[in-house]
Amino acid sequence: TALPSALFSQSRSNLNELLIPELYVGDEGEESDGAMYRLRVAAGQRSFLPQLTTSTYGINGDYLGPTLLLKQGTNVAINVTNELDETTTLHWHGLHVPAAADGGPHQSIEPNQSWQADFEVKQAAGTFWYHSHMLGKTGEQVYRGLAGMIIIEDERSPQLGIPHRYGFDDIPLVIQDRRFNASGNFSYIRNHMDVMMGVQGDTMLVNGTYNPVFSPKTKKVRFRLLNGANARTFVLKFDDNREFELVSCDGSLLNTAVKQREVILSPSERADIVADFSDGNPVNLISEPLPADSPFAMRGMMGNMMGRRGPQSLQILALEPESLLENSEQVSASLGEIVRIQEDEADRVRQLRLSMTMGMRMGRRRRGGMGGGNFFINDETMQMDVINQRIPVGSTEIWEIENTSMMMHPFHIHHNQFQILSRNGRAPEAHEMGFKDTVKVGPDEVVRFIMRFENFSDSENPYMYHCHILEHEDDGMMGQFVVE
């Protein structure tokens, strides 16, 4: 039995101080010529809601994991020990790493075993994350807590006027929606609607904090926004409609900040924003539903039905500035150093089509030892022993992603970041001009992006591409490629 949503209404009367994940800078030692990170995956418990205890999974803690701080140009070793009673993985989402260090389904870690990823940090400053990528179980394991944020710093990033004091004026926000049952545990059910739409909840958690509040001490604050939800898309804005500066998208800083009043993040997308609190007024960060005319809104009868479900807006974070605010720098006019990849640099074009069925038998068909089979890429479902694409190392490719279904799919590719070329033939807007690893593909939309497949080749270990609605990924909408 699910808890009635009104039982734990989110308001300013029962606020909780926002938890800030520990910043893990790595350990120096003989085991690595760079930074060594030791992660322990284990079961735990946490009281998210008053007088209730929830069974959880966590990384170096009871829920979620520490924020990993990586520095461009350094070698890192991340050692993961699995203390769960089930197999798991940890994938470094958005990082450009060798396939054997990617942490995808092929790098699974059995109970009471360890696995280590070794790689050089090749990317410039950006916000990334890590999470379980266990075949057929990603949705459930992430829902229970197996995720955390990654920050990459480079030599330039601290000099750009963007707040960068972690936990003070540089604040990570891992935004998730959850359902709780009457005993206080997560209600991860996977009924027909959950599989079709992805699991969505009515209770918001930010960094694992229910009904959180943060008190800015500086006039400007950088928020690293991560949509860590399984399936819900967030339309994030302030409830007084104040403007903010968007300085990054997914895996890179933009060349210049973009002034906006809202940012739309599908599951796994990130954005860094700089908000101004110099007026001293309290304000709320909220999420509003996608308008019916949005290119990412669900089409047809299901769209009408979903439009009638749930609250019209979701409370994300209350902000109550302190009375005396420290001055902040101006954000530099020039941020990133992104050079656009030209279409004529591409060696080939690949076409992928995303599709899904709507029948009530969803999740019952079996393929390759896992359930599902109602979500497809090029009419195929994920099979561990099938390599769907083979890509020559050093090549540059254009991928055309066509969505023939009635709902948006956030398409994610491993190995490297890409640049969006067009949406239905139109150039991307300014906020999508950086390097990305996940792109929203709306119903009846064709998105084209260009990507370099460089530095790493491995004919044995594949990378993944998939929908990042985790229940869709778990039920078939995933493929594999090798760079060789």
Side-chain angles (χ1 to χ4, degrees), residues 13-24:
S13 62
N14 57 347
L15 294 173
N16 301 298
E17 184 178 355
L18 176 72
L19 295 172
I20 306 293
E22 172 199 355
L23 185 66
Y24 190 3

Side-chain angles (χ1 to χ4, degrees), residues 81-103:
T81 299
N82 179 14
E83 298 182 7
L84 300 173
D85 58 6
E86 63 175 311
T87 308
T88 191
T89 74
L90 281 184
H91 163 59
W92 324 114
H93 182 116
L95 295 196
H96 180 44
V97 298
D102 187 54

